[in-house]
Amino acid sequence: MKAIIMLLLLTGLWNSTPPKDVTGKWQVDHVDISGSTMKMSEQEKAMMIKTLKTVFLNAVFDFNANHHFYITPAVKSMPKGDWEYNPEKGIIRIKEVNNTGTIMLINVVEKDGSTVFEMVETQLVLKVHRKS
């Protein structure tokens, strides 16, 4: 059943197009980790979802024009970063300031008037809207 749901989700993502530009502030409206394939009990998964919602719900991803990246409110474990965007692939790469190492990859999907940030490593899906 999970495989079918994941296939439907991925098929839906492939049929969408990434935005041409992600510069600006994006506020998180919804947090979802239900598609995650992480091996954990239902209790652990519920705790993870609660923690992630606390951290990310209403957070603002700020992709400055000078390519500096911030999250508000600040996530303590997130170092200050720079960002780059590949509009053909819809991938945002966040890296440490003055470093080539990747902190996070975000798959950006725009479909039916909504924008979704999918955190590639964790399969965390954030429904967002552009604030500015």
Side-chain angles (χ1 to χ4, degrees), residues 2 4 27-28 41 45 65 74 86 90 94-95 114 122:
K2 274 188 175 182
I4 293 171
Q27 183 167 351
V28 178
S41 70
K45 199 172 212 176
N86 181 330
I94 300 173
K95 57 186 181 167
S114 295
T122 62

Side-chain angles (χ1 to χ4, degrees), residues 17-123:
T17 57
K20 293 185 188 320
D21 183 34
V22 295
T23 305
K25 295 181 180 184
W26 296 82
Q27 183 167 351
V28 178
D29 298 321
H30 181 74
V31 178
D32 184 23
I33 193 171
S34 62
S36 173
T37 57
M38 291 187 286
K39 304 284 187 222
M40 60 179 73
S41 70
E42 289 303 314
Q43 184 179 13
E44 290 170 325
K45 199 172 212 176
M47 178 78 82
M48 176 70 78
I49 290 169
K50 183 178 178 183
T51 301
L52 291 171
K53 282 186 178 183
T54 300
V55 171
F56 287 107
L57 195 58
N58 297 316
V60 175
F61 284 66
D62 189 354
F63 299 103
N64 288 330
N66 64 4
H67 287 266
H68 290 302
F69 168 75
Y70 305 94
I71 294 180
T72 309
V75 177
K76 292 178 184 177
S77 63
M78 174 72 91
K80 291 185 179 179
D82 289 331
W83 67 276
E84 56 190 39
Y85 180 58
N86 181 330
E88 288 81 31
K89 294 182 179 180
I91 298 285
I92 300 170
R93 179 176 169 242
I94 300 173
K95 57 186 181 167
E96 286 188 57
V97 175
N98 300 322
N99 191 334
T100 58
T102 300
I103 297 172
M104 173 182 354
L105 290 175
I106 302 172
N107 185 27
V108 184
V109 177
E110 204 170 59
K111 184 176 179 179
D112 299 328
S114 295
T115 303
V116 174
F117 287 178
E118 180 184 71
M119 308 309 193
V120 174
E121 295 86 6
T122 62
Q123 297 175 337

